[in-house]
Amino acid sequence: MSQRQTISHCTVDVSGGLPAIVLVGLPDTAVQESRERVKAALKNAGYAFPLRKIIINLTPADLRKEGPSFDLPISVGIMAASEQVSAQLLGDHLFLGEVSLDGTLRSVAGVLPIAAAAKKLGITSLVVPFDNAQEAAVVAGLNVYGFKYLAEVATFLNQPERYEPVKLDETILVTSLVNSADLKDVKGQVHARRALEIAAAGGHNLIFVGPPGSGKTMLARRLPGILPPLSFEESLEVTQVHSVAGLLKNRGLLVRDRPFRSPHHSASGPALVGGGSFPRPGEISLAHRGILFLDELTEFKRDVLEFLRQPLEDGYVTVSRTRQSVMFPAQFTLIASTNPCPCGYFGDTIQACSCSPRQREQYWAKLSGPLMDRIDLQVAVNRLKPEEITAQPRGEASEPVRIRVKQARDMAYNRFKAEKNLLCNAAMQSRHLQQWCQLDDSSRNLLEVAIRKLGLSARASDRILKVARTIADLAGEENLLTSHVAEAVQYRTIDRMQ
């Protein structure tokens, strides 16, 4: 996550004059209301609220302040300015947290990225609500103190020697965001299962096209079970995004499972990319380092789908507002499913399609060419035969598939270890293709024929090479073979339909 790297400062002046509280520095409504919360919290915690003129200045003045995180620093500032606590430690510590009317400290969202930013800016100590302490302690080299009550913070400022920094409890993990289903439950669909494995191994975008009841959604929901676990660095990135979104409140430590986000097809553009007066991550950022599953893709509005083009290509999304611009990470794998036509039965061997050619054309018009170019694997999923439906599942379980996926990813990781932020084949650029996807004459001729017959763009042909590279990695091959390219071409179902 990238935004303006600064920490807001709270300075408090208590002077003579009629009792009043003046809060300046572009505070939003939640910050303005902190005056009443802090006043009640101080009194109920056993501290005096000065009956004098209090000026609270939040800097930098040109950056809008939002949320209840300023309650604790405002409380500490008032106590220090009225000489109820020592001000000696204020310059060395960063304070944030919400205070209740009874003086209890409540957890707030976004603590992990704040802690990371504080360390970059040279701040060494952080004081947060107890429920946020483990989240902040993930940042190495930062002394974190967690308290449940405002009175404890006051005691800490007067007698810091009584307290020790929080120790990171590495056994506490955030509850899984998805219950991984097993591939062994899938009947038949060998071709689709193979595509799912390739998508997992290379981080490739995938779309399943087939009639209702063919198992498209069931297949997609089994992708998390064959993905390798998040590395520590990836966990840190994902946790920061979910922290900003407020999804870690009272939940523990790092996100260890790859996210699986499945927004409804009625979702708006801001719901996908993020938004709000103070931008928050949308679904595509919440799927960072994981999966964004769009079921019934053609039911989404076309303008909403077009929002996917930039993050699919660049791996981040920029949300711009009048006063600020925030860049959220969005390196996700897109998994989508759709029917082949409005009635759902075009090309079905059992039920005839009732749609006209014009209706099918309008149906597919929601998916623009540039968007489809960015989907590496386009797979037809046919309905099972009656004997396949009644048979017991005999497919391979997720665990051996996960092992092969991990081996392929390790092979790619070793290949890209000199490249920054390049973790899988799907993220390769043109210069990488020239280096690691060289073709012999037979493979080149095959690809040229596919480009001519399917009318592929340069981007689509690059996607074929990336998929071929992943197929080769799954086979343990250093060089691309004609068979790898041929299989990759087979995963352009929609191109062959048009």
Side-chain angles (χ1 to χ4, degrees):
M1 217 160 14
S2 175
Q3 52 184 321
R4 185 171 174 175
Q5 287 293 318
T6 185
I7 295 293
S8 295
H9 294 268
C10 173
T11 53
V12 179
D13 178 70
V14 178
S15 59
L18 294 175
I21 304 176
V22 181
L23 190 58
V24 296
L26 287 180
D28 75 344
T29 303
V31 181
Q32 291 280 7
E33 292 174 347
S34 68
R35 294 176 295 186
E36 303 304 322
R37 289 195 297 272
V38 168
K39 185 176 181 179
L42 286 175
K43 290 183 177 179
N44 291 325
Y47 295 88
F49 189 85
L51 296 178
R52 302 164 68 184
K53 185 175 182 179
I54 302 174
I55 300 177
I56 302 169
N57 181 34
L58 304 177
T59 59
D62 62 337
L63 183 65
R64 187 168 182 80
K65 318 303 184 302
E66 185 203 52
S69 300
F70 293 92
D71 288 3
L72 181 56
I74 290 174
S75 301
V76 170
I78 291 175
M79 288 191 292
S82 58
E83 299 182 348
Q84 299 182 78
V85 298
S86 172
Q88 183 177 356
L89 300 181
L90 297 190
D92 302 324
H93 292 70
L94 175 66
F95 299 81
L96 72 152
E98 178 183 350
V99 298
S100 298
L101 300 183
D102 61 355
T104 303
L105 299 185
R106 297 171 57 88
S107 60
V108 292
V111 169
L112 180 57
I114 291 174
K119 182 183 178 183
K120 290 181 180 179
L121 294 173
I123 296 173
T124 58
S125 296
L126 185 64
V127 177
V128 297
F130 180 80
D131 289 337
N132 288 127
Q134 284 295 321
E135 180 184 343
V138 171
V139 180
L142 191 66
N143 293 324
V144 178
Y145 299 88
F147 300 105
K148 294 183 178 180
Y149 306 101
L150 183 59
E152 290 180 311
V153 178
T155 304
F156 167 73
L157 291 173
N158 290 325
Q159 304 175 49
E161 67 279 357
R162 292 178 53 184
Y163 298 90
E164 294 290 335
V166 171
K167 292 183 179 180
L168 180 64
D169 183 0
E170 298 183 357
T171 65
I172 301 175
L173 302 178
V174 170
T175 303
S176 297
L177 300 179
V178 61
N179 293 319
S180 297
D182 203 294
L183 271 176
K184 66 181 180 182
D185 300 326
V186 178
K187 298 179 180 180
Q189 307 298 5
V190 176
H191 184 60
R193 289 170 58 102
R194 170 66 172 172
L196 207 63
E197 181 176 342
I198 295 171
H204 301 289
N205 303 318
L206 165 66
I207 182 171
F208 288 127
V209 183
S214 57
K216 304 184 296 294
T217 302
M218 182 181 186
L219 283 161
R221 292 192 178 278
R222 275 146 181 78
L223 180 57
I226 62 175
L227 288 171
L230 290 168
S231 66
F232 178 79
E233 292 75 15
E234 290 176 321
S235 291
L236 200 58
E237 292 177 16
V238 173
T239 306
Q240 288 189 55
V241 175
H242 285 77
S243 178
V244 170
L247 299 182
L248 296 183
K249 198 173 293 184
N250 300 322
R251 295 185 69 184
L253 193 54
L254 286 179
V255 176
R256 301 299 298 180
D257 296 319
R258 293 189 182 273
F260 185 93
R261 306 295 298 185
S262 180
H264 191 261
H265 59 73
S266 61
S268 64
L272 282 184
V273 302
S277 57
F278 189 87
R280 288 287 187 267
E283 291 291 340
I284 61 176
S285 292
L286 293 174
H288 179 60
R289 300 298 185 190
I291 302 156
L292 178 66
F293 176 46
L294 301 184
D295 201 6
E296 302 298 340
L297 184 67
T298 47
E299 297 299 323
F300 285 80
K301 295 180 180 179
R302 180 182 173 116
D303 60 336
V304 172
L305 293 177
E306 292 303 299
F307 283 119
L308 295 171
R309 287 167 56 177
Q310 184 222 348
L312 283 175
E313 195 70 24
D314 300 331
Y316 64 86
V317 61
T318 303
V319 181
S320 298
R321 293 295 181 264
T322 303
R323 294 184 179 273
Q324 62 182 320
S325 179
V326 180
M327 186 174 69
F328 294 118
Q331 295 183 14
F332 59 91
T333 299
L334 174 64
I335 305 297
S337 70
T338 185
N339 295 331
C341 65
C343 78
Y345 296 104
F346 179 68
D348 188 34
T349 57
I350 300 176
Q351 186 167 336
C353 174
S354 61
C355 304
S356 67
R358 177 61 177 168
Q359 288 176 316
R360 289 195 292 270
E361 182 180 344
Q362 291 177 337
Y363 182 77
W364 284 103
K366 288 187 178 181
L367 307 180
S368 67
L371 177 61
M372 294 309 301
D373 274 354
R374 290 169 169 82
I375 299 180
D376 307 6
L377 302 164
Q378 305 167 3
V379 181
V381 182
N382 298 318
R383 280 206 284 182
L384 296 176
K385 298 177 182 178
E387 58 271 22
E388 291 177 315
I389 295 176
T390 58
Q392 291 295 324
R394 296 181 180 177
E396 191 176 21
S398 292
E399 183 59 29
V401 178
R402 186 189 299 114
I403 293 173
R404 291 198 299 269
V405 167
K406 179 66 165 54
Q407 291 172 343
R409 287 223 175 190
D410 288 344
M411 192 171 179
Y413 179 81
N414 293 330
R415 183 187 306 122
F416 305 140
K417 58 185 176 183
E419 299 285 339
K420 184 179 179 180
N421 206 31
L422 182 57
L423 301 177
C424 59
N425 292 329
M428 287 192 293
Q429 304 297 322
S430 296
R431 60 187 178 87
H432 304 131
L433 296 178
Q434 295 174 7
Q435 182 176 357
W436 291 305
C437 297
Q438 296 183 6
L439 301 176
D440 56 25
D441 291 340
S442 176
S443 300
R444 186 177 296 103
N445 292 335
L446 175 62
L447 182 57
E448 290 174 357
V449 170
I451 293 172
R452 282 195 297 269
K453 287 190 174 182
L454 301 179
L456 300 177
S457 66
R459 181 186 289 115
S461 63
D462 285 350
R463 298 278 173 172
I464 288 177
L465 289 177
K466 295 177 184 180
V467 172
R469 179 66 269 171
T470 299
I471 294 171
D473 289 347
L474 284 169
E477 299 283 352
E478 289 291 342
N479 300 318
L480 293 188
L481 304 179
T482 304
S483 59
H484 303 149
V485 177
E487 183 178 358
V489 170
Q490 293 301 309
Y491 297 114
R492 303 298 300 189
T493 295
I494 296 177
D495 294 322
R496 297 200 304 271
M497 289 172 57
Q498 297 176 347

